[in-house]
Amino acid sequence: MKDAVAAVVTLVNPPPLTVDRNRPSSSLGAALLLGAFLYSWQFPHFNALSWNLREDYSRGGYRMMSVTHPDMCRRVALRHSLALLGLSCLGPATGLTTWTFPLVSLPINLYISYLALRFHRRADRGSARKLFLCSLWHLPMLLLLALTCKRPAQEQEAAAVVVATAASTASPAAS
């Protein structure tokens, strides 16, 4: 019962994203990107897991997407696996990582996308299990790569100064 109350309280009043006062736009973008990584990762992970348990869910009376909409289950897993590729390219744009991050994360993102495509096409237990097992190491590896490719604080500050300078020179002078 306590867990249900805590979930409702968190849903109604979510904890705020911590934002650096010196660089509010870059830290907010980075926080949103990390949340987007978690959001997109969960679909291949849980859809592949639920695929192999769909008979049990059906017998138990649970209306899971893998039982009620099996095509959508596979399609959503593929869509969000591909989204991880695009989200990785946003790392440098948000100031979270350097431009090497999209390159070094490309192999693991391509691999989970490949497994999601196999799961989408074959729709069998083996392909779902491989996608699920890949998802277990994919997220920690992706976050570790983002950490190793993290943009140094001096670079972040310099980038903020360049953007602020460009914005002030681009605005028309007041008469």
Side-chain angles (χ1 to χ4, degrees):
M1 181 65 179
K2 223 188 310 185
D3 291 339
V5 172
V8 170
V9 168
T10 304
L11 180 65
V12 172
N13 186 18
L17 290 173
T18 304
V19 177
D20 185 359
R21 284 190 219 171
N22 299 328
R23 297 182 305 270
S25 60
S26 65
S27 58
L28 179 61
L32 291 174
L33 180 63
L34 290 173
F37 279 146
L38 295 174
Y39 178 78
S40 282
W41 168 85
Q42 73 180 337
F43 289 100
H45 176 77
F46 289 110
N47 288 4
L49 175 64
S50 72
W51 188 264
N52 285 334
L53 300 173
R54 62 191 171 144
E55 291 85 11
D56 295 333
Y57 288 135
S58 182
R59 275 182 293 193
Y62 292 103
R63 296 183 45 82
M64 302 292 286
M65 187 174 16
S66 59
V67 175
T68 59
H69 299 63
D71 292 337
M72 184 189 301
C73 178
R74 297 188 323 267
R75 196 170 48 245
V76 167
L78 176 61
R79 181 182 315 135
H80 284 278
S81 295
L82 294 171
L84 289 167
L85 278 164
L87 288 171
S88 294
C89 294
L90 292 177
T94 61
L96 178 66
T97 65
T98 62
W99 286 101
T100 57
F101 175 66
L103 297 174
V104 297
S105 65
L106 186 63
I108 65 169
N109 286 330
L110 285 176
Y111 186 62
I112 197 168
S113 297
Y114 164 73
L115 291 177
L117 181 63
R118 272 185 45 188
F119 172 56
H120 182 263
R121 287 185 177 164
R122 292 186 181 174
D124 64 352
R125 288 182 169 273
S127 61
R129 189 165 200 283
K130 285 183 180 181
L131 178 59
F132 173 72
L133 291 175
C134 175
S135 73
L136 291 177
W137 59 261
H138 180 270
L139 183 65
M141 182 65 77
L142 186 68
L143 296 178
L144 183 63
L145 289 172
L147 181 65
T148 57
C149 296
K150 185 177 183 288
R151 185 179 286 181
Q154 298 85 3
E155 263 186 55
Q156 289 178 353
E157 290 169 7
V161 168
V162 167
V163 169
T165 305
S168 66
T169 58
S171 64
S175 304

